[in-house]
Amino acid sequence: MESKVLLHVDCDFSMETSAAQAMIGQIRAYVPIGIKIALELYSTTATYDVILTDMDRVYSPATPTFVFLNLQNELDVPRLKNFLTDHYFDKLFQ
């Protein structure tokens, strides 16, 4: 049976919408297969499992926030993959 767990990830980037959408596409390419994830542009009315941002901004303290500067940095990409994978499996086995 297929899992119904879906990780809702907010993408709040300080760039125009088309550039943010391109960044979201890059992030999706880095997420391991088998991890069900919805990458969404930030909305103040939505709730998220994780927030990805490139800004020093205060969000809900209950929502894990991952700050990274760019996806070209080889240090950020593995950390991002590990963070999303670990958070997904934590939610899967709650």
Side-chain angles (χ1 to χ4, degrees):
M1 184 163 79
E2 193 171 326
S3 169
K4 295 188 190 287
V5 172
L6 176 68
L7 196 61
H8 291 273
V9 178
D10 159 45
C11 298
D12 190 16
F13 301 115
S14 59
M15 56 188 74
E16 65 182 50
T17 303
S18 59
Q21 290 289 8
M23 180 79 90
I24 290 170
Q26 283 184 286
I27 293 168
R28 188 174 306 283
Y30 291 122
V31 175
I33 250 174
I35 302 293
K36 293 181 184 179
I37 189 168
L39 295 164
E40 306 158 357
L41 289 175
Y42 181 71
S43 168
T44 56
T45 60
T47 57
Y48 302 100
D49 295 300
V50 179
I51 296 173
L52 303 181
T53 186
D54 61 351
M55 298 178 279
D56 182 18
R57 187 173 177 182
V58 177
Y59 297 94
S60 166
T63 305
T65 302
F66 188 82
V67 179
F68 61 96
L69 299 179
N70 73 60
L71 292 173
Q72 308 313 315
N73 183 340
E74 291 181 17
L75 296 175
D76 283 345
V77 173
R79 287 180 52 228
L80 177 60
K81 278 183 177 175
N82 291 339
F83 180 81
L84 292 174
T85 301
D86 291 348
H87 193 73
Y88 179 80
F89 283 109
D90 286 348
K91 186 175 177 179
L92 186 64
F93 294 112
Q94 282 182 347

